[in-house]
Amino acid sequence: MTWLNSHPLSFLVFAPAILGLLILALPHALGRLSRMLGFMGALAFFALSLAWLLGHGGGGVLSERAPWFTLVGLPVDYALAVDGLNLWLVILTTFLVPLTMLGTWNSIKDRIGTFAAMFLLLETGMLGALMAQDLFFFYLFWEAMLIPMYFMIGVWGGDERRYAANKFFLYTLSGSLLWLVALLYLANKAGGFNPLLMGQAASLLPFGVQCWLFIAFAVAFAIKVPLFPLHTWLPDAHVQAPTAGSVILAGVLLKLGGYGFLRFAIPMFPQASMHYAKPIAILSVIAIVYGALVAMVQRDIKKLVAYSSVSHMGFVMLGLASFTVIGTQGAMLQMLNHGISTGALFLLVGMIYDRAHTRMIADFGGVAVKMPVFTAFFFIVTLSSIGLPLTNGFVGEFWILNGTFLSGFGWGRLYACLATSGVLLGAVYMLWMFKRVFWGPENKDEDSGTHHLHSDLNLREVAVLLPIVVLIIWMGVHPKTFVAVSEAPVTALLKDANAPAPRTFVLKPAVHEAAPSHEAGAPHEGAPEASIEPAAHEVHR
Amino acid sequence: MNLSPSQWAALLPLIIPSVGACLIAIMALDKDQATAKWIRGAMYGTALLAVAASFWLLTELWKSGSQPSFGQLHLDRLAQFTGIFVLVAAALTIMQSWDHFHQEGWVKGETLCLLLFATVGMMLFASTSNFVLLFLALELFSIPLYALVGTVRARSESSEGGMKYFLTGAVASSCFLMGGVLIYGLSGTLDLSMAAPILKTQGLALDPLVLVGAALMLLGFLFKVSAVPFHQWTPDAYEASPHPIAGFMSVATKGVAFIALMRIFPVSFAPLGAVGAKMQSVVAVLAVATLVVGNLTALVQTNVKRMLAYSSISHAGYLMLGFVAGTPAAFNGVLFYLVIYMAMNMGAFGLLTAFGLVGEKTTFDDLRGLGWKRPAMGVAAAIFMLSLAGIPPMGGFYGKYMIFRELVGTGHVGMAILGVLASLVSAYYYLRLLVALFLQAPSAEAERLASDRPAVHAPFAGATVLVCAAIVMAGGFIQTFLSDGFTRRALVEGLGLIR
């Protein structure tokens, strides 16, 4: 017990893996027991994470740090921490794992025990990567995470699962291996893998070298996000993965890319990240619009959701590239939103697929008549994905666009306007899909998907979807719950990065003497008071 | 002749396996059908006993910290390390070959006898810097291996592979001999660690003949580690030889050749700075070629053994990168890598035996679906393959990490990038094996054949596979213990590198 009190984070990270290995060792015939064991365990980890992390006061920093080993002269620390930047992502992870297990209870037909074990191993990888505060340690989890995901896609996936699993594995590996070289280079200069020391060492390097290192970091993270044009693995992986894999992939794995930028790439290379803010913003805008346009023409609902992920994660990257507090806070919230909404969409698609054995939009029509409860849930999640006010999607996207518009960079306004079209397109593809699948006359065709829908959601499925709907509304009405803790770290991060002050808009610019100097987008020294931004949640009010 | 205890201590670890080998050769004369079973057991028992006794002596020496020598035979820390390394590989090989040769229906005592002689030769090869002893040791382990490759005479391709290996190996050995002769002729001493200072005082450090001599010796080593362009024998020899022997060749031969190379080139030839630098640039170029050729060729293989052969070529490339970095920490990385590599490759070849694949039936298709049928073996296979690809948290990652870190530290960033790209390519073909094991259902015909045949029974091979998997995982989690307590001490106290 005393060990537990002093090492709650270690327990949270490694307990799922231990349980997973235990389940892996159970004989094949005990699959159902294994599944139940895995679910109960995951639920317990969620409860513990809530109790420990939120009970701790929410805003404080929990951390564990001890020297681990020194190999070839480089010390590696065993360092875990939960602070404002990752608190909610950690809880999102522990929340989504049991939820997904419950939501896909009967989707996996064979080797259910092994599947539960893989899921738990994956949870360890994700939590470890989210909490690790030493770059080597982070790298270990970052890579180790690929292994269970590879098997989840490859063993339980769709028809093209082998191709998709290999593509996912190798694509991600390619980015992180080059990143490893950059890490080693920097660790060699810094004498260790502590991000602070590495950041200091990086600031002493010539600017050109910093840029190269930043690119190596950025590419590794951008592949995970995924940022256009590095997104091509995502549709394959999402479509082929089993429902549970898709949910976790969208819900947590993609977040790790954005989180990596926020936690490591930007604080370690502030100058270089400012230098590349514009290219990243351009790619984000392309991702937003391109993802939405491609989603619009998809025939497969799951693929549509996959491309909508590209679009939504583009918003996250745009918010980060704006280098404003409100934009970054919006990106934080959007990561949570996307985890909830897209995760829920994948779950819903999985539920209809389990009944109809098809995901083609053309195979449906008039589902609303057959499955009213399902339709209601799908509609709420759709609205959240579109970003309707009062749902979570609205707050995140609004803050991001607001931050981009206000950003001290000269390109801010234009890109904010362009990205706004993504919101509109989002409504188009989601609602159009919704219309074709759920509304209209019932599809009477014998072979159609609608024909095979015999039962509406059962209690288990409703139990899975209810908390999601509650969260969607909660996050839309009172986002402060979820972003209050990250306010201080984000502000400090941007201050350390020396981000350009956001513009201020006043009704009579001619009277305001400071306004012209903001046009250049350079850090403004003269009137700091004028550039103090309102706190993110206050803007929303 | 009276030997002091210290001289005995240096000699016994080599004598015991030799005596064991001779005993086995005598036992193998027995042709009586009635007693064949018992004789077989006795032969394998003797072999294991001999290896275990030698292993025990070496570990005692390691614990006591003494570094005895007998004439030109120096059983220093590095030699003890090599001895332990080779003996463990030999023990794993003996266990696996019991199962494999029974599956092949070709249980002969000679193979064990040859294997033990090869083991002795390898231990000797890493324990001396005297040229004559080096050459004798080289031949002592090469000739039994030529024979072992072709040992299953019933298969025609077996003798073909053995012949190929023998012919190319003979050329490499003679090159090695010629190189040594040139160095001897110019310096007048057979001890290579003495030759370098003498050549330097004579002002011959950059003499073309010295360069030619050094280059020819390097060629001999590079042939043994199967570096490009001296690699062509590897896939054929591995494919032809019995699985355990292929595993033994891939780890032990490569390991001792690298360790001996370490003793000769960076250490003994250190006084001849210019020669060392030139050889290092040659190694750099060949390392690049090895990585590129090994990995790209492995991509298109359909036979698991040929894939593993090309993978072993590419691993020679990573190990050579350690020599390119050339720092003591990089050599430590090389030794660490070798230990993990021994476990990974012995395990990977052991899997083939554990799955009961004999003869030509070693394609990826023959492995389909086996991971689910034998879960323990499947998990072990996943550990080996991911470790070979260098994915954390397996041990193979740390080997690569140590070598790449030194490469980056010495300014060879380009080489490090090439190295990681090579391991990206390698991930593809290692994943192919996992795809076959887990992601593909067995073909209908294979199912039918499998139901006809009796269940595969390979307890010893299975046990070795699990042991190897444990070592690989240990390399990932107690890497510091291995590297500081074992490999680093071998370097510090054996070669006097890191002070």
Side-chain angles (χ1 to χ4, degrees):
Chain A
M1 249 3 244
T2 45
W3 184 88
L4 260 188
N5 283 333
S6 54
H7 299 83
L9 302 183
S10 301
F11 180 82
L12 271 185
V13 170
F14 291 105
I18 293 168
L19 182 62
L21 292 176
L22 200 76
I23 290 177
L24 210 56
L26 285 180
H28 220 63
L30 295 179
R32 302 172 70 83
L33 174 75
S34 312
R35 180 174 59 187
M36 183 50 95
L37 209 62
F39 171 67
M40 297 310 283
L43 206 61
F45 301 140
F46 172 56
L48 287 175
S49 72
L50 275 185
W52 283 341
L53 303 181
L54 292 184
H56 188 256
V61 178
L62 273 175
S63 69
E64 290 170 28
R65 183 177 279 275
W68 186 18
F69 65 81
T70 303
L71 211 55
V72 280
L74 293 179
V76 172
D77 281 353
Y78 175 92
L80 296 170
V82 171
D83 59 11
L85 288 183
N86 59 7
L87 170 71
W88 285 104
L89 287 171
V90 167
I91 292 178
L92 176 74
T93 309
T94 56
F95 169 66
L96 278 181
V97 170
L99 195 78
T100 311
M101 280 185 168
L102 190 63
T104 58
W105 195 257
N106 291 323
S107 305
I108 303 294
K109 302 286 181 214
D110 53 348
R111 300 174 181 133
I112 48 184
T114 319
F115 189 79
M118 285 295 147
F119 218 144
L120 289 168
L121 289 174
L122 184 63
E123 186 176 6
T124 286
M126 296 184 299
L127 289 176
L130 281 171
M131 292 188 202
Q133 299 299 311
D134 178 284
L135 272 159
F136 188 90
F137 203 37
F138 178 75
Y139 183 83
L140 289 187
F141 285 114
W142 178 269
E143 292 275 54
M145 208 161 48
L146 296 182
I147 303 168
M149 197 67 212
Y150 173 79
F151 283 106
M152 278 169 80
I153 299 175
V155 176
W156 293 275
D159 295 334
E160 295 286 320
R161 58 182 186 274
R162 288 192 288 277
Y163 170 75
N166 273 338
K167 191 169 177 181
F168 163 76
F169 195 95
L170 296 172
Y171 216 119
T172 319
L173 193 64
S174 66
S176 43
L177 280 174
L178 289 174
W179 175 45
L180 178 65
V181 177
L183 265 183
L184 287 173
Y185 183 86
L186 201 51
N188 194 40
K189 302 279 181 209
F193 286 97
N194 187 321
L196 274 177
L197 293 178
M198 287 175 96
Q200 281 165 10
S203 64
L204 300 175
L205 292 171
F207 186 64
V209 179
Q210 280 188 42
C211 285
W212 278 112
L213 292 172
F214 175 75
I215 289 174
F217 274 64
V219 167
F221 296 141
I223 286 176
K224 263 281 195 321
V225 168
L227 189 60
F228 178 89
L230 301 172
H231 67 282
T232 49
W233 62 270
L234 179 110
D236 286 304
H238 263 322
V239 172
Q240 297 305 326
T243 302
S246 299
V247 175
I248 288 299
L249 197 58
V252 185
L253 259 64
L254 306 190
K255 306 297 149 343
L256 281 164
Y259 170 75
F261 272 100
L262 206 55
R263 170 72 77 187
F264 298 117
I266 293 175
M268 285 171 68
F269 309 99
Q271 275 176 293
S273 50
M274 221 69 77
H275 185 68
Y276 285 108
K278 188 174 178 185
I280 291 178
I282 292 176
L283 292 177
S284 312
V285 172
I286 294 177
I288 291 169
V289 177
Y290 166 87
L293 288 175
V294 178
M296 205 184 301
V297 296
Q298 294 307 318
R299 298 190 181 124
D300 182 337
I301 308 178
K302 204 170 180 187
K303 216 163 183 175
L304 184 147
V305 180
Y307 276 105
S308 84
S309 274
V310 176
S311 182
H312 286 156
M313 290 308 287
F315 276 107
V316 173
M317 290 309 297
L318 186 65
L320 293 178
S322 76
F323 283 97
T324 54
V325 174
I326 184 164
T328 312
Q329 284 282 65
M332 291 288 299
L333 188 68
Q334 177 75 356
M335 288 205 267
L336 299 177
N337 289 343
H338 179 258
I340 300 281
S341 310
T342 309
L345 277 176
F346 277 120
L347 275 174
L348 288 161
V349 172
M351 287 170 187
I352 199 169
Y353 179 77
D354 285 346
R355 289 174 170 75
H357 302 289
T358 172
R359 292 185 306 247
M360 293 297 150
I361 294 174
D363 283 343
F364 293 104
V367 174
V369 185
K370 287 220 161 185
M371 298 175 73
V373 181
F374 177 74
T375 310
F377 279 116
F378 206 110
F379 192 63
I380 296 170
V381 177
T382 301
L383 292 182
S384 135
S385 177
I386 293 168
L388 195 81
L390 286 187
T391 63
N392 56 355
F394 171 74
V395 189
E397 284 174 6
F398 179 77
W399 286 357
I400 288 167
L401 293 173
N402 190 350
T404 312
F405 196 81
L406 292 175
S407 131
F409 295 109
W411 41 263
R413 292 186 208 184
L414 175 66
Y415 289 2
C417 296
L418 289 175
T420 310
S421 69
V423 182
L424 193 71
L425 289 170
V428 173
Y429 65 76
M430 285 308 288
L431 289 178
W432 191 32
M433 180 271 285
F434 195 83
K435 169 187 168 271
R436 284 179 291 167
V437 172
F438 290 93
W439 291 340
E442 191 186 328
N443 193 337
K444 295 284 185 196
D445 188 352
E446 288 279 304
D447 298 328
S448 75
T450 313
H451 188 77
H452 291 94
L453 301 173
H454 300 303
S455 57
D456 207 341
L457 297 188
N458 57 29
L459 213 59
R460 169 178 63 80
E461 288 162 326
V462 172
V464 169
L465 293 172
L466 262 183
I468 291 179
V469 169
V470 169
L471 272 176
I472 284 175
I473 307 287
W474 188 350
M475 290 169 84
V477 176
H478 197 255
K480 194 182 168 188
T481 321
F482 301 94
V483 293
V485 283
S486 56
E487 181 95 35
V490 163
T491 315
L493 186 138
L494 291 178
K495 190 157 164 279
D496 290 347
N498 209 3
R503 302 156 194 243
T504 49
F505 290 90
V506 286
L507 286 173
K508 292 175 194 161
V511 180
H512 199 279
E513 38 81 35
S517 67
H518 284 283
E519 289 300 317
H524 186 66
E525 293 150 30
E529 282 80 9
S531 61
I532 285 180
E533 218 181 327
H537 54 271
E538 285 167 7
V539 167
H540 175 58
R541 273 196 221 129
Chain B
M1 187 166 88
N2 281 320
L3 294 178
S4 69
S6 145
Q7 285 171 323
W8 273 117
L11 272 179
L12 270 180
L14 296 174
I15 290 179
I16 291 174
S18 318
V19 172
C22 296
L23 280 178
I24 291 171
I26 294 168
M27 287 186 228
L29 291 175
D30 178 87
K31 294 289 174 208
D32 186 358
Q33 289 292 328
T35 57
K37 203 168 74 181
W38 300 103
I39 293 290
R40 268 182 214 165
M43 287 190 301
Y44 274 88
T46 313
L48 277 179
L49 214 62
V51 167
S54 178
F55 177 83
W56 181 75
L57 284 172
L58 282 177
T59 46
E60 285 299 306
L61 270 185
W62 180 275
K63 270 187 247 164
S64 71
S66 62
Q67 309 193 48
S69 61
F70 176 76
Q72 291 291 337
L73 166 72
H74 304 292
L75 212 58
D76 56 14
R77 281 274 193 204
L78 187 63
Q80 293 166 21
F81 169 83
T82 318
I84 293 171
F85 170 81
V86 173
L87 287 170
V88 171
L92 294 170
T93 310
I94 292 169
M95 307 248 290
Q96 290 175 8
S97 58
W98 170 267
D99 286 329
H100 179 74
F101 286 122
H102 276 87
Q103 288 162 7
E104 288 271 11
W106 191 271
V107 193
K108 302 280 179 198
E110 298 89 31
T111 50
L112 283 180
C113 166
L114 290 170
L115 187 68
L116 286 181
F117 277 127
T119 310
V120 174
M122 286 173 177
M123 288 161 70
L124 189 58
F125 193 53
S127 323
T128 181
S129 56
N130 180 291
F131 179 71
V132 172
L133 261 187
L134 265 180
F135 183 72
L136 283 178
L138 179 73
E139 292 301 293
L140 182 55
F141 80 75
S142 297
I143 293 172
L145 283 178
Y146 301 143
L148 279 172
V149 167
T151 188
V152 186
R153 295 192 299 276
R155 289 169 55 205
S156 60
E157 61 277 0
S158 176
S159 4
E160 181 201 326
M163 201 60 186
K164 215 177 236 173
Y165 184 31
F166 169 62
L167 288 178
T168 49
V171 173
S173 294
S174 42
C175 287
F176 183 75
L177 186 61
M178 189 66 212
V181 166
L182 284 176
I183 302 274
Y184 169 62
L186 290 170
S187 65
T189 173
L190 282 168
D191 190 346
L192 293 171
S193 59
M194 303 295 290
I198 292 174
L199 287 174
K200 194 172 169 69
T201 48
Q202 288 176 344
L204 292 171
L206 270 177
D207 192 274
L209 278 181
V210 173
L211 276 180
V212 171
L216 284 173
M217 285 183 70
L218 185 66
L219 187 153
F221 286 114
L222 292 182
F223 177 84
K224 286 296 164 199
V225 304
S226 56
V228 172
F230 316 112
H231 68 288
Q232 283 96 342
W233 59 273
T234 319
D236 291 319
Y238 284 13
E239 195 184 8
S241 50
H243 311 328
I245 303 299
F248 184 69
M249 277 163 61
S250 75
V251 300
T253 311
K254 204 185 293 284
V256 291
F258 269 119
I259 292 168
L261 181 62
M262 200 181 286
R263 199 186 275 281
I264 304 306
F265 273 92
V267 179
S268 293
F269 279 10
L272 297 171
V275 178
K278 281 209 161 48
M279 292 304 135
Q280 203 165 358
S281 48
V282 171
V283 170
V285 173
L286 294 185
V288 171
T290 307
L291 282 173
V292 172
V293 172
N295 278 306
L296 293 184
T297 327
L299 279 179
V300 294
Q301 302 304 319
T302 52
N303 189 315
V304 177
K305 271 169 96 178
R306 286 187 84 85
M307 183 277 275
L308 284 172
Y310 282 106
S311 116
S312 95
I313 293 172
S314 74
H315 282 280
Y318 298 119
L319 289 160
M320 281 159 79
L321 286 181
F323 283 80
V324 173
T327 60
F331 291 128
N332 186 19
V334 168
L335 288 188
F336 182 87
Y337 199 121
L338 279 174
V339 172
I340 303 298
Y341 175 72
M342 188 261 284
M344 300 188 290
N345 247 29
M346 284 310 295
F349 279 103
L351 276 173
L352 298 178
T353 307
F355 284 133
L357 306 175
V358 290
E360 302 294 284
K361 300 193 74 58
T362 52
T363 61
F364 283 106
D365 283 342
D366 292 316
L367 285 171
R368 280 164 68 163
L370 284 178
W372 295 109
K373 281 189 195 145
R374 307 276 301 278
M377 294 296 113
V379 170
I383 291 175
F384 298 140
M385 290 304 131
L386 293 170
S387 175
L388 282 166
I391 310 287
M394 299 357 159
F397 167 73
Y398 288 94
K400 281 191 178 134
Y401 163 73
M402 288 163 87
I403 289 174
F404 289 160
R405 181 252 182 277
E406 284 306 308
L407 269 181
V408 172
T410 50
H412 297 89
V413 179
M415 295 286 249
I417 290 178
L418 183 93
V420 296
L421 289 180
S423 53
L424 175 67
V425 173
S426 76
Y428 178 74
Y429 57 80
Y430 294 127
L431 284 182
R432 257 183 85 188
L433 198 122
L434 295 187
V435 166
L437 281 178
F438 292 105
L439 273 48
Q440 285 180 318
S443 64
E445 194 201 344
E447 287 272 295
R448 191 171 48 74
L449 282 177
S451 61
D452 292 347
R453 270 203 307 266
V456 178
H457 188 63
F460 292 113
T464 58
V465 166
L466 294 182
V467 168
C468 290
I471 298 176
V472 172
M473 289 314 285
F477 287 98
I478 49 169
Q479 61 300 89
T480 338
F481 171 74
L482 263 182
S483 113
D484 284 356
F486 206 44
T487 58
R488 193 156 175 278
R489 287 180 76 185
L491 276 177
V492 176
E493 292 162 38
L495 286 186
L497 265 178
I498 316 165
R499 291 231 183 264

